[in-house]
Amino acid sequence: GVLAPAGLGLPTSPEPQPRGSQCVEHDCFELFRGPATFFAASQACEGLGGHLMTVRSSVAADVISLLLSGDSGDSPRLWIGLQLPPGCSDPGQLGPLRGFQWVTGDNRTSYSRWARLPVDPAPLCGPLCVAVSEAGALAPREPAWEEQQCTAEADGFLCEFHFAASCKPLLVDSGAVAAAGVTITYTTPFRATGADFQALPAGSSASIAPFGVELECAAPPGEAEARWGRDDQGAWDCSVENGGCQDTCNRSAETSQCFCPADAYLEADGRSCAAQADHPCHKLCEHYCITNSYVPGSYSCMCETGYQLAADQHGCEDVDDCIQVPSPCPQRCVNTRGAFECHCNPGFELVNNDCVESVDPCLGSKCEYQCQPVGQTDYRCICAEGFAPSPQDPHRCLMFCNQTACPADCDPYSPTSCQCPEGYILDDGFMCTDIDECENGDCPGACRNLPGTYECICGPDCDPTEVNTDGDGDGGSGEP
């Protein structure tokens, strides 16, 4: 039986039996029928993890009416958890409970329903205990409270149980009930069984026929809400509570399976979904984690291009691309971390991933004297000694002298044919001598002679004027 006679201090026959129970949010209540004293009833409730019922509101009173409506007895007297301690008191001065206290040690209440209140109440002397009964009710479906001797035997008692969390009854697809005859039997932690509950406290179990599925109502650590689940992985039949799936339950070939949205993965229980970014594999895989939506909790690691998965299946190792056959490079390959570089042999250059023979940048140049390569794609023109590239046309060479005298540029085949730079004059020794332009009096003030030119120096109200006599002249080949 549910209650042991020795534990209750009751006669061996009949033994109080549960006759109905109901839960409202986190509180559950159960009706027991069978003779019991207040003390024995209190012990029975405490042995199941609760206490005699406290009726602090009209909601609790409605629960009693609901439990009595399902009981076939005729107006039984049932102990509730209200008692008057030893001693006498004036009930007119002690509020709605008239000096009585709940078994929880307090007298808080917003409800009372005494069967009779004398016009001139005499002092009450305890100990007294309270039973409820519809026999003394002042209105239909409002069981009244009657004080009794605590040692008297009532017809039963009401127990109350409090739980931190609860589950709603399992939701069953209406079509499945008719098609498969699905039935659910609940069992609470205080041993009440049945199929009709408004709520089930954490610790309750559910037996689902004809699937043979056993579920338990449990609150995950750190969460206030409880939910139905089981130790076995994966979904149960989709017709019952969506198979336990947090998102989608799919039934095919007599098998039910849970699926998650694209941005979530299936957790190890095979029913819950979590954001992809929260998967622990992202901290385990060196590069990328790929979850498997068909195998709960499973994943595989992947590496970036240029890397391969290490032996531990989590790390990533560099791939030496240069040892591939054939080589990815036409001539020389240099491996780098996660990649490689192609280089060419001297005399070749890399063009569109191919090594082609380098082209002389001086090929086709118009340098008057010599062409000198600059890098692999550019060049510059140089001139013979005594010549310099023309500022206007760098391909041409002009005679250049930055001293007072320089050797003349003479034709080797005609020694008498010589040339001097602008600003110089040829003298008898095949030398070019600087002309002193200051002797011409072209400057209004002071004049300073310079190699090949001159400079007028004036006062603070005018700018110095430099007369540059370098012209294109004949130039020559730039070769002496």
Side-chain angles (χ1 to χ4, degrees):
V2 175
L3 301 174
L8 292 172
L10 300 174
T12 57
S13 180
E15 178 184 343
Q17 296 292 324
R19 298 288 286 270
S21 58
Q22 195 54 260
C23 296
V24 178
E25 295 184 346
H26 295 170
D27 294 306
C28 293
F29 310 92
E30 186 163 25
L31 165 64
F32 285 87
R33 287 296 301 270
T37 64
F38 183 87
F39 176 73
S42 182
Q43 276 194 323
C45 293
E46 291 173 2
L48 294 172
H51 55 74
L52 282 171
M53 182 177 180
T54 60
V55 191
R56 303 174 188 270
S57 66
S58 59
V59 174
D62 291 340
V63 171
I64 296 177
S65 297
L66 182 62
L67 292 173
L68 288 174
S69 67
D71 182 48
S72 58
D74 297 328
S75 302
R77 289 182 304 112
L78 307 172
W79 292 120
I80 61 173
L82 191 60
Q83 59 185 344
L84 182 67
C88 298
S89 60
D90 182 2
Q93 305 296 324
L94 298 174
L97 295 186
R98 304 167 61 200
F100 285 74
Q101 291 183 348
W102 300 114
V103 291
T104 52
D106 65 281
N107 58 4
R108 292 182 295 104
T109 189
S110 62
Y111 177 86
S112 64
R113 187 67 69 205
W114 295 103
R116 52 186 177 274
L117 292 173
V119 177
D120 186 16
L124 288 173
C125 296
L128 291 174
C129 299
V130 175
V132 296
S133 173
E134 290 183 331
L138 302 178
R141 300 183 62 82
E142 290 188 5
W145 300 359
E146 296 180 348
E147 59 267 22
Q148 305 283 332
Q149 292 297 321
C150 299
T151 55
E153 287 188 342
D155 301 315
F157 49 91
L158 294 157
C159 292
E160 177 181 339
F161 308 91
H162 180 77
F163 297 90
S166 63
C167 294
K168 294 181 180 179
L170 288 164
L171 181 64
V172 181
D173 181 45
S174 59
V177 177
V182 177
T183 59
I184 302 177
T185 302
Y186 300 103
T187 303
T188 68
F190 49 92
R191 307 178 197 171
T193 60
D196 184 19
F197 285 87
Q198 294 182 12
L200 281 304
S204 298
S205 62
S207 179
I208 307 172
F211 307 121
V213 174
E214 295 288 336
L215 303 179
E216 182 179 356
C217 173
E223 295 187 21
E225 293 296 325
R227 59 174 178 260
W228 293 102
R230 62 177 180 177
D231 292 336
D232 294 342
Q233 288 186 348
W236 52 84
D237 194 90
C238 291
S239 63
V240 179
E241 198 73 19
N242 194 39
C245 301
Q246 184 174 339
D247 191 65
T248 303
C249 185
N250 184 26
R251 180 181 174 86
S252 60
E254 303 301 322
T255 302
S256 297
Q257 187 173 4
C258 297
F259 291 93
C260 296
D263 59 350
Y265 71 94
L266 197 61
E267 293 193 274
D269 64 359
R271 297 181 295 273
S272 304
C273 298
Q276 288 281 7
D278 296 335
H279 198 291
C281 71
H282 291 291
K283 296 181 180 179
L284 301 175
C285 297
E286 185 174 351
H287 286 177
Y288 302 113
C289 167
I290 307 299
T291 58
N292 188 340
S293 58
Y294 295 96
V295 182
S298 67
Y299 65 92
S300 58
C301 298
M302 292 187 65
C303 299
E304 296 176 352
T305 302
Y307 294 84
Q308 63 184 5
L309 206 58
D312 63 2
Q313 300 299 304
H314 287 81
C316 292
E317 300 174 338
D318 175 55
V319 174
D320 188 351
D321 303 277
C322 294
I323 65 174
Q324 297 181 28
V325 178
S327 173
C329 295
Q331 290 185 355
R332 293 192 302 133
C333 179
V334 177
N335 187 62
T336 60
R337 185 163 179 78
F340 64 94
E341 295 177 355
C342 290
H343 296 268
C344 297
N345 296 328
F348 292 82
E349 59 182 324
L350 193 64
V351 179
N352 296 326
N353 203 36
D354 193 17
C355 288
V356 297
E357 192 170 3
S358 300
V359 177
D360 187 354
C362 288
L363 185 65
S365 69
K366 299 180 179 179
C367 292
E368 188 175 20
Y369 181 60
Q370 285 184 357
C371 175
Q372 184 181 62
V374 178
Q376 296 186 359
T377 58
D378 202 3
Y379 69 93
R380 67 179 178 181
C381 294
I382 59 175
C383 298
E385 184 178 359
F387 291 80
S390 168
Q392 290 78 24
D393 185 3
H395 293 86
R396 292 190 59 199
C397 292
L398 299 177
M399 293 187 67
F400 175 75
C401 182
N402 62 353
Q403 299 176 356
T404 57
C406 294
D409 179 27
C410 299
D411 187 345
Y413 301 104
S414 180
T416 59
S417 177
C418 296
Q419 293 182 345
C420 288
E422 290 292 329
Y424 288 82
I425 188 171
L426 183 66
D427 59 15
D428 295 339
F430 303 103
M431 293 292 292
C432 295
T433 303
D434 176 49
I435 298 174
D436 187 358
E437 291 86 356
C438 290
E439 295 179 352
N440 298 334
D442 293 333
C443 292
C447 177
R448 179 191 298 168
N449 186 56
L450 299 172
T453 184
Y454 66 97
E455 179 182 40
C456 293
I457 301 174
C458 57
D461 295 332
C462 66
D463 295 328
T465 302
E466 180 180 345
V467 180
N468 187 355
T469 58
D470 288 342
D472 289 343
D474 293 333
S477 66
E479 182 176 356

